[in-house]
Amino acid sequence: MTTVHVCTQEELDEALAEPKCHEVVIRSPRGVWLKIRDSRGKAVEVLGDAMVKVSGDTRVTAFGYAVVDVSGNVTVRAFENATVNAFDNATVRACDCVIVVAYGDSTVTAWDHATVVAYDNSTVRACDCVSVAAYDDATVKAWDRVSVAAYDDATVKAGTCVPVHVNSKNVTHQGGVIIDMTAIDANDPETWCAMHLVEVDEDGQAHLYKALDADLNAGHYYRLTNYPIGQVVDDTANWVDNNKCGGGLHVSPTPWMANAYYMEEFRFVEVCCPVEELRPIDEAKAKAPRLRVLREVTVDGSPVGGGTR
């Protein structure tokens, strides 16, 4: 017996205990977590939608949409669309469209189109088109067409063409194309519109979007508000002039961003307001005391029924 295919924890335990088995292939159904504490020197492959927690001295290769949580001295090679959560001293090699979240003192090497989020004292080496977000005391070495977002006390060493978004004054960086986010006032309406590609027309009106129900209503969880096409919706009675949620009419740079705040949406509308009245809240939301409802649009912003804007 060389290779054993397993779907359950019982089958997995039996395969790992079998001396004649040299390779274990896990293809369990999604939603069922299997556990490996010691592979006993056997090669382990995780395929399909399998979800596996791995610890001890183990080597794992993940493919497909597999999800692997690893801790200890585990080594993982991940391909395709796999997801890896790495803790302690785990080592991960990731390529394709793999997503890696790294904690502790884990080490990640990533290439192709992988995405890495690094926390604690984790270390990341990235090339090709990898995207990296580094937090805490994480260390990143990046080259080629990698992009890096650095927060907290992260350290970044980057190649000549690597864009590095610096989001904390405590970030240490060397090389790269530095984009100093700490010098940008994201609460300034004009700056916010420019950052998020919000159209501002020649009359100074910012064009934004709202997700609504079938009757053009929003605010189902706090105060129901109707958005009739061609009308001005006025909420000045409840307006609070700050950059926090509440106290105004909330809008987003795109319809699909608006969708995230009302998942039961049936319809989308394009609205506008003077830029100077807009108060940014975060990267996906701002508020205003009043909005003019211009037209109904699709989720990609095209006018419903065709035509031009």
Side-chain angles (χ1 to χ4, degrees):
M1 189 189 317
T2 302
T3 301
V4 176
H5 293 254
V6 304
C7 293
T8 67
Q9 185 68 53
E10 182 179 7
E11 292 174 344
L12 175 58
D13 292 341
E14 290 179 357
L16 293 175
E18 173 56 57
K20 295 181 180 180
C21 173
H22 296 95
E23 181 183 50
V24 179
V25 177
I26 301 173
R27 198 186 286 271
S28 53
R30 179 162 290 274
V32 178
W33 282 96
L34 303 189
K35 296 181 180 180
I36 301 175
R37 293 183 175 85
D38 186 350
S39 67
R40 305 185 187 185
K42 296 174 173 61
V44 178
E45 288 192 0
V46 186
L47 307 181
D49 294 319
M51 303 172 70
V52 181
K53 295 180 182 290
V54 186
S55 59
D57 188 5
T58 304
R59 292 180 179 272
V60 175
T61 304
F63 297 91
Y65 289 89
V67 178
V68 182
D69 284 7
V70 296
S71 59
N73 295 310
V74 175
T75 298
V76 180
R77 293 184 304 161
F79 303 89
E80 297 175 351
N81 296 286
T83 299
V84 180
N85 299 307
F87 301 85
D88 301 331
N89 297 298
T91 299
V92 181
R93 294 179 179 271
C95 65
D96 297 333
C97 295
V98 168
I99 297 174
V100 181
V101 183
Y103 302 88
D105 294 295
S106 54
T107 300
V108 180
T109 301
W111 61 99
D112 285 348
H113 292 84
T115 299
V116 181
V117 182
Y119 297 92
D120 300 331
N121 295 295
S122 54
T123 299
V124 180
R125 293 188 293 269
C127 62
D128 292 339
C129 296
V130 172
S131 175
V132 181
Y135 299 84
D136 300 329
D137 293 292
T139 299
V140 180
K141 185 176 182 180
W143 59 97
D144 288 346
R145 290 166 291 174
V146 173
S147 62
V148 180
Y151 303 83
D152 303 327
D153 295 288
T155 299
V156 180
K157 184 175 182 179
T160 304
C161 297
V162 173
V164 180
H165 288 75
V166 176
N167 295 280
S168 166
K169 293 186 181 298
N170 293 325
V171 168
T172 300
H173 52 82
Q174 176 184 342
V177 179
I178 303 303
I179 303 169
D180 187 0
M181 302 300 292
T182 66
I184 296 174
D185 181 7
N187 287 331
D188 175 68
E190 291 188 6
T191 300
W192 185 85
C193 287
M195 287 176 64
H196 302 291
L197 294 181
V198 173
E199 177 192 345
V200 178
D201 62 29
E202 59 185 13
D203 295 322
Q205 298 285 315
H207 290 246
L208 299 135
Y209 299 89
K210 189 78 178 177
L212 307 172
D213 67 14
D215 298 315
L216 298 178
N217 293 317
H220 299 76
Y221 308 116
Y222 43 94
R223 186 175 62 255
L224 197 67
T225 304
N226 186 246
Y227 288 76
I229 306 295
Q231 301 296 313
V232 173
V233 182
D234 193 312
D235 195 43
T236 52
N238 300 295
W239 174 245
V240 179
D241 192 357
N242 60 25
N243 298 93
K244 299 179 180 179
C245 281
L249 303 171
H250 293 59
V251 287
S252 295
T254 68
W256 51 268
M257 285 183 178
N259 192 181
Y261 296 101
Y262 182 49
M263 300 299 291
E264 299 84 4
E265 106 293 332
F266 286 90
R267 303 166 75 176
F268 299 98
V269 292
E270 179 183 348
V271 300
C272 69
C273 71
V275 171
E276 63 269 18
E277 293 188 1
L278 198 63
R279 296 295 177 267
I281 298 171
D282 56 33
E283 66 277 1
K285 184 167 57 176
K287 67 181 182 181
R290 62 188 67 83
L291 298 168
R292 179 175 293 279
V293 184
L294 299 176
R295 59 184 62 83
E296 185 173 359
V297 297
T298 64
V299 71
D300 63 0
S302 301
V304 169
T308 58
R309 291 177 50 184

